[in-house]
Amino acid sequence: MATDLDRLFSTAAAAASAFRDSVGALSAAPEAGFDEILARFETPVPEQGTKPEAVLSELLEKASDGLMKSTHPRFFGWVIGASHPAGVAADFMVSAWGQNAAFHSPTPAAAAIEQVAEGWLLDLLDLPRTASVGFVTCATVANAVALSAARSRVLANVGWDVEADGLFGAPPVRVLIGEDAHSSLFSSLQMIGFGARRVETLATDAQGRIKPAALEAALKAGEGPMVLILGAGQINTGDFDPFADLIPQAKAKGAWVHVDGAFGLWARATPTHWHLTEGVEQADSWATDGHKYLQVPYDCGFAIVADRAAHLKAMTQWASYLPTMSGGERVPSAFVPELSRRARGIPVWATIKALGRDGIADLVSRTATLSQRMAARLAAEPGISVLNTVVLNQVSVAFGTGNEARALTEQVIAAVQAEGTCFAGGSLWHDRWVMRISVSSQLTRAADIDRSADAIIAAWRAVQRG
Ligand SMILES: Cc1ncc(COP(=O)(O)O)c(C=O)c1O
């Protein structure tokens, strides 16, 4: 006899698999917009409760056509992974089990699985095996956590305890960052009191990579506590700062080097693209995401810090009502800002287990090859220009030239999204508006690239005809 719970959870599971099975045949963009969906949901606070099955069926009925199809094989918007089914199933269990994965002893399964996932991540990314990993919501928070550890260590080196005494009256810290760094870093810097505006920016080249001469000049210009922020995977070009050149220069001056590799750090997980990250292991901290290239369901980021003590000092909290920390054990919440937290290590473990080292390497290599294919198809069409050298999975495409290029590019993006064969968004790259194509899904194949390129070219031809 099926219980109410069986019926409820089976309905959710059936709806989930029906969605996944059919998503490739749907428009890659949402069919209904925000206002339409809001009108369906917007009611006063319900005075009485509703049976869970009715709640679920209302949710499915009212939300389904307002979903972005990030699990569609032709979804190229931003860098959004396709949420691997094994990770999704594990994530269902995380919700069903309702673990608060803060501590070691009260939730042993969550803590043990996260610890194993930590080791796997360091192995796959070939980073120091003694580094610590904080499992956070996203790369923005991962950047903030890693930069908090940086702040702690560079100030401790000059005798200042920032966790105890804050930044009031602290020795100034120089923060050096590339001109084309991701917006999330500025958000992270403002969160930790370093200020988004008081950074020193370093000149970059056409691919958004820091020029070694710019760093050399900045390093000559001053001493003192210093943090250098580098990038693995520039958002528009996918390119990488020259780590092997930059990191030793900065470390020789005592700087902490942090690398934002939200998606690009995963190039390290494949022999075909490992070279792009050469030397990155010499940095002090790294931020990357699970929910981008690794296909872990939302939300999941990793703050990786070589200096475990600095990481712990920046994040650990304890109170008498919490489980005792005997020392030595890996306490999941001690590496992240939250105390109560979702057991993110579980879907990470499941996704890595399902893909395996080979599957991850294959995913990164394949999407890089597919990005080249997309770039070649589009660049062959008159009036379409690929603005970046495609090194990984980003293709930045401009339509037309001169003053009209921005409007034309925006029109093509709107037409492509409305037509629905594929989905791509827009971005500003070195003063030019581009269609930004990110190939990051384990589901995308060559036929998807060809169909999508045909749809984009058709939209461009239609825009030209007016
Ligand atoms: C290079 C880079 N850094 C940081 C981020 C921020 O990541 P998240 O959205 O997980 O906070 C992104 C997101 O696209 C990114 O591409």
Side-chain angles (χ1 to χ4, degrees):
M1 256 287 280
T3 64
D4 286 352
L5 209 51
D6 285 335
R7 274 190 293 277
L8 179 68
F9 287 175
S10 324
T11 307
S17 51
F19 174 72
R20 284 298 177 101
D21 285 343
S22 64
V23 70
L26 303 175
S27 164
E31 287 93 351
F34 174 84
D35 290 343
E36 198 178 335
I37 303 288
L38 183 66
R40 292 181 204 161
F41 279 93
E42 205 169 35
T43 66
V45 176
E47 297 299 335
Q48 281 88 40
T50 303
K51 283 211 156 61
E53 273 186 72
V55 174
L56 178 62
S57 89
E58 182 177 337
L59 175 67
L60 296 175
E61 188 192 315
K62 291 184 172 173
S64 297
D65 57 352
L67 301 176
M68 173 57 87
K69 314 304 183 325
S70 41
T71 55
H72 192 294
R74 294 182 298 282
F75 178 81
F76 307 119
W78 309 284
V79 187
I80 292 187
S83 298
H84 195 285
V88 173
D91 214 43
F92 283 170
M93 295 315 301
V94 167
S95 294
W97 284 333
Q99 302 291 287
N100 178 352
F103 273 86
H104 191 253
S105 53
T107 51
I113 294 168
E114 185 176 304
Q115 185 168 318
V116 170
E118 174 182 70
W120 285 4
L121 287 166
L122 296 173
D123 188 339
L124 287 165
L125 292 170
D126 194 13
L127 293 176
R129 305 304 192 265
T130 49
S132 46
V133 183
F135 289 64
V136 292
T137 50
C138 61
T140 303
V141 174
N143 281 322
V145 168
L147 289 168
S148 300
R151 184 182 64 165
S152 183
R153 177 57 69 207
V154 297
L155 284 171
N157 287 347
V158 289
W160 188 267
D161 183 344
V162 72
E163 282 77 27
D165 299 321
L167 283 173
F168 300 102
V173 177
R174 293 180 70 197
V175 178
L176 311 180
I177 188 167
E179 268 171 0
D180 292 305
H182 191 269
S183 56
S184 78
L185 285 159
F186 297 93
S187 159
S188 307
L189 289 169
Q190 77 195 32
M191 256 190 268
I192 66 163
F194 273 178
R197 211 167 39 196
R198 61 174 287 292
V199 297
E200 297 171 50
T201 48
L202 305 176
T204 51
D205 65 14
Q207 286 282 99
R209 295 170 299 203
I210 292 173
K211 294 179 176 165
L215 176 64
E216 212 175 301
L219 292 175
K220 277 198 192 123
E223 300 286 326
M226 194 162 28
V227 178
L228 169 67
I229 301 176
L230 303 178
Q234 206 286 331
I235 189 102
N236 291 298
T237 66
D239 217 330
F240 295 70
D241 281 326
F243 306 116
D245 191 343
L246 303 183
I247 296 178
Q249 283 190 56
K251 302 261 315 184
K253 288 280 190 165
W256 176 293
V257 182
H258 171 68
V259 179
D260 171 24
F263 62 92
L265 205 55
W266 288 94
R268 211 162 162 76
T270 172
T272 56
H273 290 76
W274 184 95
H275 64 278
L276 294 168
T277 68
E278 196 167 357
V280 81
E281 69 286 352
Q282 297 170 61
D284 298 286
S285 59
W286 307 262
T288 189
D289 267 319
H291 58 214
K292 290 190 167 72
Y293 238 158
L294 190 57
Q295 322 284 305
V296 175
Y298 274 78
D299 46 24
C300 182
F302 309 115
I304 309 174
V305 182
D307 182 341
R308 210 174 177 95
H311 193 171
L312 285 168
K313 186 162 189 293
M315 291 293 133
T316 306
Q317 59 168 305
W318 189 74
S320 58
Y321 77 96
L322 296 171
T324 310
M325 293 195 266
S326 60
E329 74 268 40
R330 183 188 179 282
V331 174
S333 64
F335 300 96
V336 300
E338 311 92 347
L339 181 57
S340 296
R341 56 192 290 278
R342 187 171 182 76
R344 287 192 195 88
I346 294 178
V348 173
W349 172 86
T351 305
I352 296 175
K353 181 98 182 155
L355 286 170
R357 195 191 296 276
D358 282 358
I360 295 168
D362 179 56
L363 161 70
V364 175
S365 294
R366 178 160 26 89
T367 50
T369 305
L370 293 174
S371 301
Q372 299 280 358
R373 186 182 183 103
M374 177 69 95
R377 283 289 318 272
L378 296 181
E381 174 71 13
I384 301 184
S385 329
V386 174
L387 299 189
N388 64 314
T389 303
V390 178
V391 295
L392 190 64
N393 63 344
Q394 305 297 306
V395 189
S396 283
V397 190
F399 297 83
T401 50
N403 293 341
E404 288 192 322
R406 177 168 182 151
L408 292 171
T409 301
E410 282 178 329
Q411 285 171 44
V412 177
I413 293 169
V416 165
Q417 290 182 1
E419 192 270 336
T421 297
C422 64
F423 185 95
S427 180
L428 195 60
W429 176 237
H430 285 182
D431 296 330
R432 291 183 72 179
W433 197 252
V434 291
M435 172 188 278
R436 186 170 156 256
I437 299 171
S438 300
V439 188
S440 320
S441 167
Q442 88 257 17
L443 301 169
T444 308
R445 294 291 180 272
D448 294 305
I449 296 295
D450 292 344
R451 264 183 81 178
S452 303
D454 288 345
I456 294 168
I457 291 166
W460 166 231
R461 290 179 183 166
V463 163
Q464 289 175 96
R465 284 195 299 273

mmCIF file of all heavy atoms in Angstrom, residues 79 137-141 143 182 184 232-233 235 260 262-263 289 291-292 436, ligand 1:
data_model
loop_
_atom_site.group_PDB
_atom_site.id
_atom_site.type_symbol
_atom_site.label_atom_id
_atom_site.label_comp_id
_atom_site.label_asym_id
_atom_site.label_seq_id
_atom_site.Cartn_x
_atom_site.Cartn_y
_atom_site.Cartn_z
ATOM 1 N N VAL A 79 27.996 30.235 -17.517
ATOM 2 C CA VAL A 79 28.592 28.886 -17.426
ATOM 3 C C VAL A 79 27.773 28.173 -16.370
ATOM 4 O O VAL A 79 28.010 28.305 -15.174
ATOM 5 C CB VAL A 79 30.075 28.899 -17.016
ATOM 6 C CG1 VAL A 79 30.655 27.485 -17.109
ATOM 7 C CG2 VAL A 79 30.868 29.843 -17.900
ATOM 8 N N THR A 137 28.404 28.033 -1.240
ATOM 9 C CA THR A 137 27.299 28.110 -2.196
ATOM 10 C C THR A 137 27.758 28.383 -3.618
ATOM 11 O O THR A 137 27.075 27.994 -4.567
ATOM 12 C CB THR A 137 26.337 29.236 -1.805
ATOM 13 O OG1 THR A 137 27.127 30.424 -1.583
ATOM 14 C CG2 THR A 137 25.572 28.901 -0.545
ATOM 15 N N CYS A 138 28.863 29.106 -3.785
ATOM 16 C CA CYS A 138 29.212 29.569 -5.135
ATOM 17 C C CYS A 138 30.636 30.116 -5.145
ATOM 18 O O CYS A 138 31.259 30.258 -4.087
ATOM 19 C CB CYS A 138 28.241 30.665 -5.566
ATOM 20 S SG CYS A 138 28.292 32.108 -4.488
ATOM 21 N N ALA A 139 31.106 30.470 -6.326
ATOM 22 C CA ALA A 139 32.478 30.982 -6.438
ATOM 23 C C ALA A 139 32.616 32.367 -5.807
ATOM 24 O O ALA A 139 33.695 32.724 -5.335
ATOM 25 C CB ALA A 139 32.906 31.021 -7.900
ATOM 26 N N THR A 140 31.547 33.141 -5.806
ATOM 27 C CA THR A 140 31.628 34.467 -5.169
ATOM 28 C C THR A 140 31.967 34.296 -3.698
ATOM 29 O O THR A 140 32.857 34.968 -3.160
ATOM 30 C CB THR A 140 30.293 35.221 -5.331
ATOM 31 O OG1 THR A 140 29.991 35.311 -6.727
ATOM 32 C CG2 THR A 140 30.350 36.611 -4.728
ATOM 33 N N VAL A 141 31.262 33.391 -3.029
ATOM 34 C CA VAL A 141 31.540 33.139 -1.610
ATOM 35 C C VAL A 141 32.887 32.444 -1.454
ATOM 36 O O VAL A 141 33.648 32.740 -0.516
ATOM 37 C CB VAL A 141 30.385 32.340 -0.963
ATOM 38 C CG1 VAL A 141 30.733 31.938 0.461
ATOM 39 C CG2 VAL A 141 29.114 33.175 -0.970
ATOM 40 N N ASN A 143 35.482 32.905 -3.291
ATOM 41 C CA ASN A 143 36.492 33.973 -3.372
ATOM 42 C C ASN A 143 36.570 34.717 -2.039
ATOM 43 O O ASN A 143 37.662 35.013 -1.552
ATOM 44 C CB ASN A 143 36.133 34.960 -4.492
ATOM 45 C CG ASN A 143 36.514 34.433 -5.879
ATOM 46 O OD1 ASN A 143 37.543 33.799 -6.044
ATOM 47 N ND2 ASN A 143 35.685 34.705 -6.869
ATOM 48 N N HIS A 182 36.706 39.032 -12.892
ATOM 49 C CA HIS A 182 35.249 38.859 -12.784
ATOM 50 C C HIS A 182 34.651 39.740 -11.687
ATOM 51 O O HIS A 182 35.275 39.955 -10.640
ATOM 52 C CB HIS A 182 34.966 37.379 -12.475
ATOM 53 C CG HIS A 182 33.526 37.021 -12.608
ATOM 54 N ND1 HIS A 182 32.658 37.082 -11.549
ATOM 55 C CD2 HIS A 182 32.810 36.613 -13.679
ATOM 56 C CE1 HIS A 182 31.452 36.709 -11.962
ATOM 57 N NE2 HIS A 182 31.523 36.412 -13.247
ATOM 58 N N SER A 184 32.596 39.167 -9.497
ATOM 59 C CA SER A 184 32.409 38.516 -8.188
ATOM 60 C C SER A 184 33.576 38.818 -7.257
ATOM 61 O O SER A 184 33.419 38.852 -6.041
ATOM 62 C CB SER A 184 32.251 37.011 -8.354
ATOM 63 O OG SER A 184 33.493 36.415 -8.572
ATOM 64 N N ALA A 232 41.679 31.965 -13.664
ATOM 65 C CA ALA A 232 41.762 30.767 -14.507
ATOM 66 C C ALA A 232 40.418 30.669 -15.219
ATOM 67 O O ALA A 232 39.432 30.250 -14.628
ATOM 68 C CB ALA A 232 42.008 29.529 -13.655
ATOM 69 N N GLY A 233 40.370 31.110 -16.466
ATOM 70 C CA GLY A 233 39.109 31.084 -17.211
ATOM 71 C C GLY A 233 38.445 32.448 -17.197
ATOM 72 O O GLY A 233 37.549 32.692 -16.401
ATOM 73 N N ILE A 235 35.961 35.246 -18.144
ATOM 74 C CA ILE A 235 34.544 35.023 -18.432
ATOM 75 C C ILE A 235 34.175 35.129 -19.920
ATOM 76 O O ILE A 235 33.328 34.403 -20.418
ATOM 77 C CB ILE A 235 33.708 35.992 -17.562
ATOM 78 C CG1 ILE A 235 32.231 35.700 -17.633
ATOM 79 C CG2 ILE A 235 33.945 37.430 -17.875
ATOM 80 C CD1 ILE A 235 31.779 34.989 -16.440
ATOM 81 N N ASP A 260 40.988 32.935 -8.994
ATOM 82 C CA ASP A 260 39.564 32.687 -9.243
ATOM 83 C C ASP A 260 39.468 31.791 -10.476
ATOM 84 O O ASP A 260 39.758 32.227 -11.589
ATOM 85 C CB ASP A 260 38.849 34.022 -9.495
ATOM 86 C CG ASP A 260 37.418 33.820 -9.966
ATOM 87 O OD1 ASP A 260 36.841 32.752 -9.685
ATOM 88 O OD2 ASP A 260 36.869 34.735 -10.621
ATOM 89 N N ALA A 262 36.567 29.828 -11.328
ATOM 90 C CA ALA A 262 35.186 29.369 -11.145
ATOM 91 C C ALA A 262 34.858 28.183 -12.067
ATOM 92 O O ALA A 262 34.309 27.184 -11.642
ATOM 93 C CB ALA A 262 34.216 30.521 -11.367
ATOM 94 N N PHE A 263 35.224 28.330 -13.348
ATOM 95 C CA PHE A 263 35.053 27.170 -14.242
ATOM 96 C C PHE A 263 36.404 26.705 -14.783
ATOM 97 O O PHE A 263 36.663 25.524 -14.917
ATOM 98 C CB PHE A 263 34.071 27.478 -15.392
ATOM 99 C CG PHE A 263 34.501 28.595 -16.313
ATOM 100 C CD1 PHE A 263 35.230 28.337 -17.445
ATOM 101 C CD2 PHE A 263 34.188 29.920 -16.027
ATOM 102 C CE1 PHE A 263 35.642 29.362 -18.285
ATOM 103 C CE2 PHE A 263 34.590 30.956 -16.863
ATOM 104 C CZ PHE A 263 35.319 30.676 -17.992
ATOM 105 N N ASP A 289 33.938 26.334 -8.812
ATOM 106 C CA ASP A 289 32.547 25.938 -8.599
ATOM 107 C C ASP A 289 32.349 24.464 -8.858
ATOM 108 O O ASP A 289 33.005 23.881 -9.734
ATOM 109 C CB ASP A 289 31.630 26.704 -9.573
ATOM 110 C CG ASP A 289 31.078 27.978 -8.964
ATOM 111 O OD1 ASP A 289 30.699 27.959 -7.780
ATOM 112 O OD2 ASP A 289 30.999 28.987 -9.680
ATOM 113 N N HIS A 291 29.020 23.770 -9.377
ATOM 114 C CA HIS A 291 27.797 23.871 -10.184
ATOM 115 C C HIS A 291 28.032 24.400 -11.602
ATOM 116 O O HIS A 291 27.074 24.617 -12.334
ATOM 117 C CB HIS A 291 26.717 24.686 -9.461
ATOM 118 C CG HIS A 291 27.097 26.097 -9.088
ATOM 119 N ND1 HIS A 291 26.633 26.682 -7.947
ATOM 120 C CD2 HIS A 291 27.846 27.024 -9.689
ATOM 121 C CE1 HIS A 291 27.091 27.925 -7.864
ATOM 122 N NE2 HIS A 291 27.830 28.151 -8.909
ATOM 123 N N LYS A 292 29.290 24.576 -11.982
ATOM 124 C CA LYS A 292 29.558 24.963 -13.376
ATOM 125 C C LYS A 292 30.063 23.722 -14.117
ATOM 126 O O LYS A 292 29.278 22.839 -14.427
ATOM 127 C CB LYS A 292 30.547 26.131 -13.415
ATOM 128 C CG LYS A 292 29.939 27.447 -12.903
ATOM 129 C CD LYS A 292 30.849 28.629 -13.174
ATOM 130 C CE LYS A 292 30.151 29.950 -12.972
ATOM 131 N NZ LYS A 292 29.871 30.297 -11.555
ATOM 132 N N ARG A 436 27.650 35.721 -25.912
ATOM 133 C CA ARG A 436 28.627 34.901 -25.197
ATOM 134 C C ARG A 436 28.135 33.465 -25.156
ATOM 135 O O ARG A 436 27.078 33.177 -24.605
ATOM 136 C CB ARG A 436 28.807 35.460 -23.793
ATOM 137 C CG ARG A 436 29.874 34.794 -23.049
ATOM 138 C CD ARG A 436 30.184 35.534 -21.764
ATOM 139 N NE ARG A 436 30.773 34.564 -20.887
ATOM 140 C CZ ARG A 436 30.161 33.984 -19.872
ATOM 141 N NH1 ARG A 436 28.940 34.324 -19.552
ATOM 142 N NH2 ARG A 436 30.774 33.084 -19.165
HETATM 143 C C1 LIG B 1 35.422 33.588 -13.616
HETATM 144 C C2 LIG B 1 34.255 33.618 -12.684
HETATM 145 N N1 LIG B 1 34.441 33.923 -11.397
HETATM 146 C C3 LIG B 1 33.428 33.954 -10.514
HETATM 147 C C4 LIG B 1 32.147 33.681 -10.906
HETATM 148 C C5 LIG B 1 31.051 33.726 -9.900
HETATM 149 O O1 LIG B 1 30.562 32.445 -9.693
HETATM 150 P P1 LIG B 1 29.227 32.167 -8.886
HETATM 151 O O2 LIG B 1 28.126 32.590 -9.805
HETATM 152 O O3 LIG B 1 29.245 30.713 -8.604
HETATM 153 O O4 LIG B 1 29.267 33.010 -7.651
HETATM 154 C C6 LIG B 1 31.882 33.365 -12.229
HETATM 155 C C7 LIG B 1 30.506 33.122 -12.686
HETATM 156 O O5 LIG B 1 30.188 33.067 -13.829
HETATM 157 C C8 LIG B 1 32.972 33.309 -13.146
HETATM 158 O O6 LIG B 1 32.780 32.941 -14.409
#
